Amino acid sequence: MYEYLYDEIVSGHLPPGSALSELDISKKLHTSRTPVREATMALEGLGMVRRYPGRGCFVAEITAQDINEIFSLRILLEVAALRASYHLIDPRSLALLEQDLLALTPEDRPDAYYDTDRRLHELIISSCGNMRLMLILRTLNGQIEQLRRISAKQPLRLRASRQEHLDLVAALKSQDLERSCQLLDAHIRNVQASTLSACMQMGLADMRGHTD
């Protein structure tokens, strides 16, 4: 149940503001309301769901403040993970990822771009050897994935992100730590700006607090 609702929210099938009726979901999935309640409570703990007394349970709205806070944390934590992992990353995994990035074409579906994006960031995080850092990042992961997919809806952003990833892979292959950190920082900031723009266009983000 948790995995089902998590995937529905991250994929956008349940967009921000969607009501999460325990009764409706339990009927749809032919289950009792208890696992639905437990799943929504777990997702509430991740900031992906909000419960309002007298109104019910909803997929959390996304605001500019949310986006800025999440990406500020992401920059701090992922760059720290990169500094810890750059010399430990498996060269074969990096080479395979580079091949897959090079193989992407404008005709490919957004999911293909999204998959390489996720794999590169996961490779950096999983190689850092700091279990607490990994745990914090994975706790944020649901919100990060949700925002990453919103940003990935823009075709020009997909192609720009592909080149940013290729540049980062090249810097990692050459063991240039400072350039790798600079490229990762710039890439995440670009995704942040793209996400803010996409949310505004889609009418998802309360733009108060948007300081760009």
Side-chain angles (χ1 to χ4, degrees), residues 30-43:
H30 307 289
T31 186
S32 70
R33 296 172 65 170
T34 299
V36 179
R37 186 178 305 114
E38 291 173 347
T40 57
M41 289 175 65
L43 292 167

Side-chain angles (χ1 to χ4, degrees), residues 1-3 5-7 9-10 37-51 57-62 66 69-70 73 134-147:
M1 180 59 63
Y2 172 87
E3 290 78 8
L5 289 176
Y6 178 95
D7 289 341
I9 293 171
V10 167
R37 186 178 305 114
E38 291 173 347
T40 57
M41 289 175 65
L43 292 167
E44 186 178 9
L46 295 180
M48 298 173 68
V49 165
R50 288 184 185 154
R51 200 177 305 271
C57 190
F58 298 82
V59 177
E61 297 279 3
I62 298 172
D66 294 327
E69 287 179 358
I70 290 166
L73 282 173
M134 292 165 62
L135 179 61
I136 294 170
L137 275 166
R138 285 171 178 159
T139 300
L140 283 172
N141 194 55
Q143 295 174 78
I144 291 171
E145 294 292 339
Q146 187 180 18
L147 297 179

Side-chain angles (χ1 to χ4, degrees), residues 13-120:
H13 293 149
L14 283 172
S18 297
L20 298 173
S21 165
E22 291 179 6
L23 180 59
D24 291 346
I25 295 170
S26 64
K27 285 182 177 179
K28 179 179 179 180
L29 300 180
H30 307 289
T31 186
S32 70
R33 296 172 65 170
T34 299
V36 179
R37 186 178 305 114
E38 291 173 347
T40 57
M41 289 175 65
L43 292 167
E44 186 178 9
L46 295 180
M48 298 173 68
V49 165
R50 288 184 185 154
R51 200 177 305 271
Y52 301 94
R55 291 180 54 202
C57 190
F58 298 82
V59 177
E61 297 279 3
I62 298 172
T63 69
Q65 181 176 346
D66 294 327
I67 293 168
N68 290 330
E69 287 179 358
I70 290 166
F71 277 98
S72 293
L73 282 173
R74 188 179 170 196
I75 289 168
L76 287 172
L77 296 172
E78 284 204 35
V79 171
L82 176 57
R83 288 189 177 278
S85 68
Y86 84 100
H87 62 295
L88 300 171
I89 293 174
D90 178 20
R92 293 169 297 179
S93 298
L94 203 57
L96 180 59
L97 187 53
E98 184 178 40
Q99 290 177 13
D100 291 342
L101 284 164
L102 289 168
L104 289 172
T105 70
E107 289 73 36
D108 282 319
R109 293 173 59 83
D111 279 352
Y113 285 83
Y114 165 76
D115 180 62
T116 56
D117 181 306
R118 178 190 56 75
R119 285 166 52 204
L120 176 56

Side-chain angles (χ1 to χ4, degrees), residues 166-201:
L166 283 169
D167 292 342
L168 177 55
V169 168
L172 289 169
K173 288 176 66 177
S174 66
Q175 294 281 288
D176 188 334
L177 175 59
E178 292 310 315
R179 177 160 173 75
S180 296
C181 290
Q182 291 168 6
L183 289 169
L184 179 59
D185 183 294
H187 165 67
I188 296 174
R189 291 182 190 278
N190 287 339
V191 177
Q192 178 180 3
S194 176
T195 303
L196 283 163
S197 175
C199 285
M200 183 170 61
Q201 292 173 20

